[in-house]
Amino acid sequence: MQTGVYLHIPFCRARCSYCDFNTYVGLEALFEPYVNALLREIKLAGGGSARAHTLFFGGGTPSLLSPDQISRLIRACREHFHLPADAEVTVECNPDTINQDYLCALRQAGVNRLSFGAQSANPDELQLLGRDHGWAAVEAAVAHARASGFDNLNLDLIFGLPNQSLAAWQRTLRAALDLAPDHISLYALTIEAGTPMHDWTRRGTLPLPDPDLAADMYEWAEQTLADAGYEHYEISNWCRPGRACAHNLIYWRNEPYHGLGAGAHGSTIYRRRWNVKRPADYIARLNDGRSPEAGSEDLDEATVRSETIMLGLRLLIEGVDQARFAERFGAPVEHFYADALERGIKLGLLEVSPARIRLTARGRFVSNQAMQLFL
Ligand code: SF4
């Protein structure tokens, strides 16, 4: 079993119109105190003996931190967790916040994977999303990354926007493919309560996305990415062979992870925990020698088993590994879920072999229905 370390950097330069993440603008004065608090939490969580296999800086916009701040955080993780020398170390970047010197410095600090929030190649869509960069910045960011020696790059794209045509989406995905990323994540827009976009749709100044058109966009993307040689290894994620995100695989295999930083969630599998959300509270707690934990929840064995199946079904190639499941829970999947498997097969949603359980092509389109069989 592997363990990941997630570091949350809750700062952004501007707030995107669809975003409900735990992130804040205008808190530049807290960057350094926050990094110092995070260094303390890394020490507390790692204790010098914990093992970890991946490190992921997410946000927010981690690339707002200086290379020195990121380097200190990586060094602390290496000091307080047993992290293999070749561990995947990812930093999420806003394309507009970086240049080549910055990326060279990250590479030297031990970062070996970058994830760029690219979202769209269409200026009107970037404006609607409230993104503060253009597509030229994405092209420049990828060129800088390659020139700095990064051979593992992800691009995040969003589809299913209000008023978005299939042709506009095709333009975005083609523009992304022209940049030859090693990994692509495609997210269907969800309009979250409390965001400006939610407000606009509620008032009727913006139409809701069309779910049927979004399904067509996804289907077209699946075919186009397969033709371009990408493996569709997770419902929303595609990669070049060998370039699956090792950190996210830990989540999908329902393995443990440390979530450090303001509002971050962690899991020891049978216990979930989360930190206080506001950066100032997080910093104050660690400065006072108190735990930043805001709450936790214990999970029973049956819940962990069903979550392991539901998460595993997201992995379209690997699926739920039958041998790994039996070793972990003391009996094969069919011992616990014979009825669910039978119904899933009958409905054409599941494909079951002695090695793995996976969604069928039909199951991919109604994955929630397939997963609910195991609730
Ligand atoms: S850059 Fe990312 S985290 Fe920051 S506001 Fe935009 S979507 Fe949210």
Side-chain angles (χ1 to χ4, degrees):
M1 203 171 286
Q2 301 220 320
T3 303
V5 177
Y6 173 82
L7 302 183
H8 189 67
I9 310 299
F11 307 117
C12 285
R13 214 165 49 178
R15 186 90 196 188
C16 302
S17 62
Y18 58 98
C19 178
D20 73 337
F21 298 153
N22 185 40
T23 188
Y24 305 83
V25 298
L27 292 187
E28 285 72 11
L30 291 188
F31 286 10
E32 185 58 21
Y34 185 81
V35 168
N36 288 329
L38 205 40
L39 290 169
R40 288 196 188 101
E41 197 190 5
I42 290 168
K43 187 173 176 188
L44 283 175
S49 59
R51 274 169 9 108
H53 301 83
T54 61
L55 179 55
F56 194 102
F57 289 77
T61 308
S63 55
L64 288 177
L65 296 186
S66 69
D68 175 63
Q69 289 169 326
I70 289 183
S71 172
R72 281 155 54 209
L73 291 166
I74 294 175
R75 279 207 307 275
C77 287
R78 290 206 171 277
E79 188 183 339
H80 299 294
F81 291 93
H82 287 288
L83 204 59
D86 62 349
E88 179 188 275
V89 179
T90 303
V91 173
E92 287 185 338
C93 297
N94 181 326
D96 229 12
T97 59
I98 53 103
N99 57 33
Q100 189 150 337
D101 290 346
Y102 183 87
L103 293 185
C104 282
L106 288 199
R107 191 82 193 88
Q108 279 194 336
V111 179
N112 50 30
R113 184 172 185 273
L114 298 175
S115 177
F116 290 116
Q119 316 312 1
S120 169
N122 300 308
D124 55 331
E125 292 173 2
L126 288 170
Q127 198 182 3
L128 172 71
L129 294 168
R131 303 291 300 183
D132 58 357
H133 59 82
W135 189 256
V138 177
E139 292 173 334
V142 169
H144 291 324
R146 295 300 191 202
S148 309
F150 284 97
D151 62 0
N152 201 353
L153 299 183
N154 172 58
L155 296 182
D156 280 346
L157 302 176
I158 301 186
F159 67 99
L161 309 180
N163 294 325
Q164 186 181 36
S165 65
L166 181 61
W169 166 238
Q170 291 172 332
R171 229 177 2 257
T172 288
L173 189 58
R174 286 193 181 113
L177 286 174
D178 284 346
L179 301 177
D182 308 282
H183 190 284
I184 299 192
S185 302
L186 305 184
Y187 299 108
L189 178 74
T190 50
I191 298 189
E192 306 288 353
T195 60
M197 204 175 260
H198 183 256
D199 211 32
W200 301 334
T201 54
R202 215 165 34 92
R203 288 178 200 206
T205 54
L206 187 71
L208 285 166
D210 174 347
D212 293 335
L213 185 54
D216 290 347
M217 291 176 182
Y218 182 83
E219 207 174 345
W220 180 83
E222 269 195 308
Q223 189 57 53
T224 303
L225 287 163
D227 293 347
Y230 288 84
E231 291 175 351
H232 191 183
Y233 76 101
E234 196 272 341
I235 288 177
S236 305
N237 289 279
W238 286 256
C239 67
R240 293 262 182 229
R243 287 294 190 220
C245 175
H247 183 80
N248 287 340
L249 280 173
I250 289 173
Y251 300 143
W252 296 316
R253 289 177 181 152
N254 205 14
E255 294 178 339
Y257 54 92
H258 298 271
L260 311 180
H265 286 234
S267 165
T268 56
I269 300 180
Y270 290 93
R271 180 173 178 268
R272 279 192 199 119
R273 59 169 296 283
W274 51 92
N275 281 345
V276 289
K277 284 182 88 171
R278 289 182 55 237
D281 296 340
Y282 173 82
I283 294 167
R285 286 216 191 190
L286 282 148
N287 283 353
D288 294 349
R290 289 181 292 144
S291 163
E293 188 170 300
S296 67
E297 178 189 12
D298 292 321
L299 304 182
D300 60 26
E301 179 88 359
T303 305
V304 174
R305 267 198 313 260
S306 78
E307 288 188 350
T308 302
I309 304 255
M310 290 191 286
L311 287 164
L313 287 177
R314 296 190 62 94
L315 293 169
L316 302 179
I317 299 171
E318 177 178 311
V320 179
D321 185 300
Q322 297 259 37
R324 202 184 290 153
F325 182 95
E327 191 187 344
R328 189 164 166 184
F329 297 105
V333 177
E334 66 176 305
H335 173 83
F336 302 104
Y337 299 107
D339 289 351
L341 290 178
E342 198 184 315
R343 283 190 61 211
I345 294 168
K346 249 192 211 145
L347 292 168
L349 305 179
L350 298 179
E351 165 193 300
V352 179
S353 74
R356 51 197 82 254
I357 300 165
R358 296 191 290 208
L359 293 176
T360 58
R362 178 173 141 65
R364 290 177 189 194
F365 280 93
V366 283
S367 55
N368 285 344
Q369 193 189 335
M371 288 170 193
Q372 274 167 12
L373 295 169
F374 297 92
L375 272 178

